[in-house]
Amino acid sequence: IEVGPVRSARPYFIDIASEYGAAYMHVGGSPEATKQLRKRDDVVDVDQWYHSQFYWRDRRRASPHHIYTSTTRWLAAVEEREVASSTFGMWYFNEEAPSGWRPALEISIPGVNNGSATWRWRDGGYVRWFGDDAYRTRAGDTIAVNTIIVQQVTQRVLDAEGRLALDLRSEGFAWVFRDGVMTRGFWKYNKKEHRTRWYDDQGAEIALKSSRLWVHIVPTGVEPDVPLPVE
């Protein structure tokens, strides 16, 4: 599977990767991110600047959107860098359709890429749209997922370049979408388990649908727009 473009490291990406003990593939990074990667031992740094054999440049695309990797290459990176098998805790999955959730056949998430990310329920999954057209990969495939999570986090500006710090180690509001319905609850980072999980208003962990899952991280104050279906 081709993946890209691969971009530079940020501290919040390192925080996410650390939950999995992952090999983190990136191209350089912000000063804070590169400083963290030098001293942290909960992720394996696979920087393209020093491990270019695991990447390639697509000459059809302009820099900096031209660096790609693939399943084959990151598996080779994992083997060469001797990445240990991860032992992270599983999320809660259940294939039963939720009861008591409200309909959610279209989801718009403002503020993504200076516009909005839109998902529409089609054929048992959520398909990503760009304007009036389904968003497609370079191979022409649509992007469809079974579960969408919108997770609110606090953020602050780190420097004059506008780089951000995101607080992924606390808790906040969250919205979970699956099976054409949604619920609102909250997310919480468990320090002892070193894992983020999502809960309903009663504190029970929300059941996710297995297979493809997409998590949108949004700043406090940004909420998904979910119009009620027209009857």
Side-chain angles (χ1 to χ4, degrees), residues 96 128 143:
E96 273 187 41
R128 185 158 182 161
I143 295 176

Side-chain angles (χ1 to χ4, degrees), residues 2-184:
E2 177 183 277
V3 176
V6 182
R7 301 298 305 278
S8 56
R10 295 294 184 270
Y12 40 87
F13 293 143
I14 301 170
D15 285 340
I16 293 170
S18 71
E19 291 196 28
Y20 303 89
Y24 180 32
M25 304 188 74
H26 63 100
V27 182
S30 68
E32 178 61 27
T34 52
K35 181 173 71 175
Q36 285 195 28
L37 285 167
R38 284 195 298 269
K39 66 182 183 181
R40 293 179 67 155
D41 59 5
D42 51 359
V43 294
V44 176
D45 183 9
V46 189
D47 190 343
Q48 187 267 344
W49 287 2
Y50 306 102
H51 305 282
S52 60
Q53 68 270 31
F54 303 124
Y55 304 83
W56 75 85
R57 286 177 167 80
D58 186 337
R59 302 299 180 184
R60 296 169 295 178
R61 302 204 65 182
S63 175
H65 305 279
H66 65 311
I67 305 294
Y68 282 77
T69 187
S70 67
T71 309
T72 301
R73 297 202 186 196
W74 76 59
L75 289 176
V78 165
E79 183 176 358
E80 181 173 308
R81 300 299 310 281
E82 298 181 344
V83 179
S85 297
S86 297
T87 57
F88 55 85
M90 289 290 292
W91 290 323
Y92 173 40
F93 293 94
N94 190 323
E95 298 310 298
E96 273 187 41
S99 61
W101 293 20
R102 60 153 286 190
L105 302 181
E106 182 167 322
I107 310 160
S108 293
I109 305 167
V112 176
N113 296 330
N114 298 317
S116 65
T118 300
W119 298 88
R120 293 174 182 156
W121 180 253
R122 296 287 190 276
D123 301 322
Y126 285 103
V127 178
R128 185 158 182 161
W129 287 70
F130 185 77
D132 295 327
D133 299 311
Y135 191 92
R136 295 183 181 275
T137 67
R138 291 204 302 177
D141 301 319
T142 58
I143 295 176
V145 299
N146 292 332
T147 302
I148 297 172
I149 299 169
V150 179
Q151 179 175 321
Q152 269 191 0
V153 305
T154 57
Q155 69 176 37
R156 59 186 176 85
V157 178
L158 281 176
D159 54 32
E161 298 297 324
R163 299 185 182 100
L164 299 174
L166 305 182
D167 184 4
L168 299 172
R169 294 293 184 258
S170 56
E171 58 185 282
F173 291 123
W175 294 256
V176 178
F177 303 82
R178 53 165 293 188
D179 298 302
V181 293
M182 64 160 284
T183 190
R184 173 174 159 161

